Amino acid sequence: MLFEGQTLFVTGGAGFIGNTLVRRLLQRTAARVVTLDALTYAGNVLSLGDAIGDPRHTFVQGDIADAATVAELIRQHSPRAVLNLAAESHVDRSIDGPSQFVQTNLVGTATLLDAAYVYWRGLSEADANAFRFLQASTDEVFGSLAADEPPSTEASPYTPNSPYAATKAGADHLVRAYRQTYGLPTIITRSTNNYGPRQHPEKLIPLMAMRALAGEPLPIYGDGLQVRDWLHVDDQCEALITVLDRGALGETYNLGADDPRTNLQVVHAICDAVDTHAGRPAGETATLITHVEDRPGHDRRYALNSEKANGLEWRPQTSFSAGVEATVAWYATNRKWVEAAADGNPKKRIGLRPRG
């Protein structure tokens, strides 16, 4: 079975993509998994579900920018691979407060790379050859595409337009530099927008789903014609496992669904799913849509060419319509998780009494 007898070290493992990856690794492989997460507002141990009690899983609360913690965990668990999914990822928050994005996405990645390099350098030749550092990145590093431009390839230039995208681009450059300078066996993936269960309520699809279910207004930035490609989180995590297993050292892999649609189309699909789930007349929920002032520097279009990842025998399996319907149903029936995620207090989310 895949990764049998090996340990995989996942950072950001209580976040949206991270928790899905941890649970999938435990289901799909024979690996032991060590999860590190700072449990900021977006991290939620409830998302890990049965993984918390799994004997092959170890959860540690900690920050990837904490050099001592990261080095000790890597030394203690001797991982076959480090998968860095820890990130501040909400564009609006990066506009309001970019410094935390610099700290986590840049300083944190540099700290993790340092620890991984020291560890890798001390391995036997066979173990060093098997080791991997996988960096999960985003299509936003490429900036905005014009309507008639082809999708971005792995060789497209970086032109990030938000503080979030800039810090992720900087992290990618650090990963590449550690490969070129020190020989660290790295791989980078860049994905389109992800969606699915257990995504923090501030993101577009869960936010609109919850507001629609509650009969509240559905605010859309500007004209709503910004184009994104939407990849279900299960397909994203299957891609990460595939790239870790089969990807070539020093390479990057774009991960997209090749199913672009405007934000307005996405919200209409959510409205249709809510109408069906809630037993409302067709079109009723869509009357809640309102348009609000656009945010600064809002990129108009993202798109990725995923042929390289397809060459590893990976392709998305979840259609957007089926994925949105299942996602809406999940948020409608998991109020406990939603309330805990929206609370913003990590100690409450893990059942501890907050101080003060």
Side-chain angles (χ1 to χ4, degrees):
M1 197 172 181
L2 202 59
F3 307 129
E4 187 168 2
Q6 300 173 349
T7 297
L8 304 177
F9 182 38
V10 179
T11 68
F16 169 47
I17 299 174
N19 86 76
T20 309
L21 177 63
V22 168
R23 289 182 291 104
R24 202 169 189 86
L25 285 169
L26 293 171
Q27 294 163 1
R28 284 259 292 104
T29 79
R32 296 181 297 272
V33 180
V34 177
T35 296
L36 177 67
D37 198 289
L39 292 183
T40 61
Y41 76 96
N44 190 342
V45 173
L46 290 176
S47 299
L48 287 162
D50 292 343
I52 289 297
D54 193 305
R56 291 190 291 127
H57 179 239
T58 301
F59 176 81
V60 178
Q61 182 178 354
D63 192 331
I64 62 167
D66 181 342
T69 295
V70 169
E72 175 57 23
L73 285 172
I74 291 178
R75 184 202 64 77
Q76 178 182 350
H77 294 281
S78 301
R80 148 73 162 74
V82 173
L83 298 90
N84 184 25
L85 280 72
E88 294 283 347
S89 64
H90 192 49
V91 175
D92 285 10
R93 285 180 181 263
S94 80
I95 293 170
D96 293 338
S99 61
Q100 186 57 52
F101 286 70
V102 172
Q103 179 65 21
T104 299
N105 298 352
L106 274 174
V107 176
T109 299
T111 302
L112 196 61
L113 283 164
D114 279 343
Y117 171 62
V118 170
Y119 165 73
W120 171 74
R121 194 173 55 183
L123 293 174
S124 67
E125 183 177 357
D127 288 342
N129 288 338
F131 181 78
R132 299 289 183 270
F133 184 106
L134 192 152
Q135 173 76 3
S137 189
T138 171
D139 58 357
E140 296 196 34
V141 299
F142 295 124
S144 187
L145 293 173
D148 58 349
E149 285 187 275
S152 300
T153 70
E154 286 80 3
S156 295
Y158 279 28
T159 54
N161 292 322
S162 70
Y164 161 62
T167 56
K168 289 298 289 184
D172 289 0
H173 288 317
L174 282 171
V175 173
R176 183 182 185 279
Y178 269 72
R179 172 65 181 167
Q180 296 298 116
T181 303
Y182 306 114
L184 187 68
T186 64
I187 302 175
I188 297 173
T189 62
R190 307 187 195 99
S191 77
T192 56
N193 284 24
N194 277 210
Y195 73 99
R198 302 176 184 86
Q199 188 173 27
H200 191 273
E202 71 185 358
K203 295 300 180 74
L204 178 65
I205 288 180
L207 175 64
M208 294 297 167
M210 291 187 302
R211 292 184 70 92
L213 287 163
E216 298 174 352
L218 306 176
I220 296 180
Y221 281 134
D223 59 13
L225 300 183
Q226 303 86 357
V227 176
R228 303 291 186 264
D229 185 21
W230 292 87
L231 181 66
H232 193 278
V233 68
D234 287 346
D235 290 324
Q236 157 83 345
C237 291
E238 192 61 32
L240 294 176
I241 294 172
T242 300
V243 169
L244 182 63
D245 181 42
R246 305 175 196 163
L249 291 181
E251 295 294 331
T252 58
Y253 294 89
N254 289 346
L255 309 175
D258 193 24
D259 189 14
R261 58 196 65 228
T262 67
N263 287 348
L264 191 58
Q265 288 173 322
V266 169
V267 176
H268 273 284
I270 294 168
C271 290
D272 291 344
V274 169
D275 285 342
T276 300
H277 181 84
R280 298 174 186 170
E284 179 177 307
T285 303
T287 63
L288 299 170
I289 293 174
T290 62
H291 291 264
V292 299
E293 183 180 356
D294 208 351
R295 74 183 179 205
H298 199 172
D299 288 340
R300 196 66 174 170
R301 172 176 171 255
Y302 304 136
L304 290 179
N305 180 319
S306 302
E307 291 179 4
K308 190 173 177 181
N310 297 158
L312 300 178
E313 300 182 358
W314 168 83
R315 282 177 175 77
Q317 301 299 309
T318 309
S319 70
F320 184 78
S321 58
V324 165
E325 288 176 6
T327 300
V328 166
W330 190 90
Y331 281 96
T333 56
N334 286 271
R335 298 304 303 175
K336 180 180 178 181
W337 184 95
V338 170
E339 290 167 4
D343 178 81
N345 188 320
K347 290 187 176 181
K348 279 189 179 181
R349 292 199 298 272
I350 60 176
L352 299 177
R353 180 177 297 174
R355 295 180 181 176

